[in-house]
Amino acid sequence: MLGIDPAISPATRQAITKVRELVEQAPAFHVILLTVIPIPYTASPSLGMYVGQIQPLPITTEQRREAEEVLKRARLEFQKYTISSERIEMMIRVGEPAGEIVRAARELGVDLIVVGSRGEGFRHKLRRLLVGSISRRVLALAPCPVMIVMAPPIAQPGDLVAWYRKALTAYLEEQTGALAVFTPQQVATMFLPASKKKAGRKEVAAATLALEHLVNSGRLCRHEVEGQLRYVND
């Protein structure tokens, strides 16, 4: 069973690769792709509730749709390597991620749980200190072996223009068929390197050059709307 986070983070992509390699080596393997929709809560008192009591809110249609899309994208990663859809099951659970992963594993009697770990950066270490790590909680509670796959190290850009060009190209390849509209400021912020705290003039200039490169290669079209440049993949 493979846990899929809503964003399909680099750690999850690495986990997908590891599971795909296992499946290719063992044709009898059956893969369960599981994503968990966290339940939102309200602390507002209402009829029948005492002050301070929390109550789970129902998930929205949009949350359900996004979860289904995430699982379809993950399944496509396996099908690219001729792994048949009959060997892949998709499952959506609602609740606390680590608890639901463990509960599903126990109910289905799975042989292995695979989850991604987002890395050892300061923010991730701080988050683990305050609220714990999903992967570590799964490891502690799981009824079967757990494989924790680390996110690949983030390359630090030596050339900002090349960095943004590569990020934009990868994004466009993932979003094939979907309309994408960019401004230099949006690109500079959206694909900001991890080593940068915020997108400044240097980053915006690099993003602009990367967008222009994709215009010249035919990947994007440039339009001027109310005095502002827009880059569109249509």
Side-chain angles (χ1 to χ4, degrees):
M1 184 171 69
L2 171 59
I4 306 294
D5 68 328
I8 308 189
S9 64
T12 297
R13 291 183 182 279
Q14 188 78 350
I16 289 174
T17 299
K18 293 295 183 183
V19 172
R20 177 179 56 77
E21 292 172 353
L22 290 174
V23 172
E24 289 175 340
Q25 295 170 11
F29 270 20
H30 180 78
V31 181
I32 300 173
L33 304 177
L34 171 65
T35 191
V36 180
I37 303 175
I39 299 179
Y41 288 88
T42 177
S44 301
S46 61
L47 185 63
M49 294 179 63
Y50 56 82
V51 175
Q53 184 179 0
I54 60 174
Q55 176 178 329
L57 299 174
I59 64 171
T60 65
T61 302
E62 180 67 15
Q63 285 176 303
R64 173 71 63 173
R65 186 191 64 78
E66 289 177 354
E68 291 172 351
E69 288 299 317
V70 163
L71 289 178
K72 288 178 183 177
R73 287 169 55 196
R75 183 177 63 184
L76 282 174
E77 291 298 317
F78 286 92
Q79 293 176 328
K80 286 179 183 178
Y81 297 89
T82 66
I83 296 172
S84 66
S85 58
E86 289 79 12
R87 299 176 63 192
I88 305 170
E89 179 181 349
M90 301 190 300
M91 180 178 295
I92 298 173
R93 303 283 290 238
V94 179
E96 187 276 315
E100 289 302 320
I101 291 172
V102 170
R103 190 173 294 110
R106 188 173 289 117
E107 292 172 359
L108 299 170
V110 305
D111 298 312
L112 176 68
I113 298 173
V114 181
V115 289
S117 179
R118 295 190 177 184
E120 296 297 324
F122 174 77
R123 284 184 299 174
H124 299 304
K125 289 180 178 179
L126 180 60
R127 183 181 182 279
R128 282 203 300 270
L129 178 64
L130 297 175
V131 299
S133 161
I134 291 175
S135 58
R136 292 178 185 277
R137 292 174 65 191
V138 170
L139 181 62
L141 301 173
C144 61
V146 177
M147 176 188 292
I148 298 177
V149 181
M150 300 297 294
I154 299 174
Q156 299 303 320
D159 181 346
L160 269 177
V161 177
W163 171 274
Y164 281 117
R165 185 173 64 242
K166 183 178 179 180
L168 276 165
T169 301
Y171 180 86
L172 290 170
E173 289 175 351
E174 287 182 1
Q175 304 297 322
T176 302
L179 178 66
V181 181
F182 303 105
T183 67
Q185 181 64 49
Q186 288 171 338
V187 169
T189 302
M190 185 176 179
F191 303 109
L192 185 69
S195 59
K196 307 286 185 179
K197 292 183 178 180
K198 64 178 182 178
R201 293 181 180 178
K202 182 179 178 180
E203 288 71 32
V204 173
T208 302
L209 289 174
L211 286 163
E212 288 294 332
H213 182 275
L214 293 179
V215 169
N216 294 333
S217 65
R219 297 296 301 270
L220 294 174
C221 297
R222 184 197 318 109
H223 301 282
E224 186 170 339
V225 181
E226 297 180 352
Q228 186 178 32
L229 290 178
R230 309 269 182 179
Y231 297 82
V232 187
N233 65 337
D234 185 12

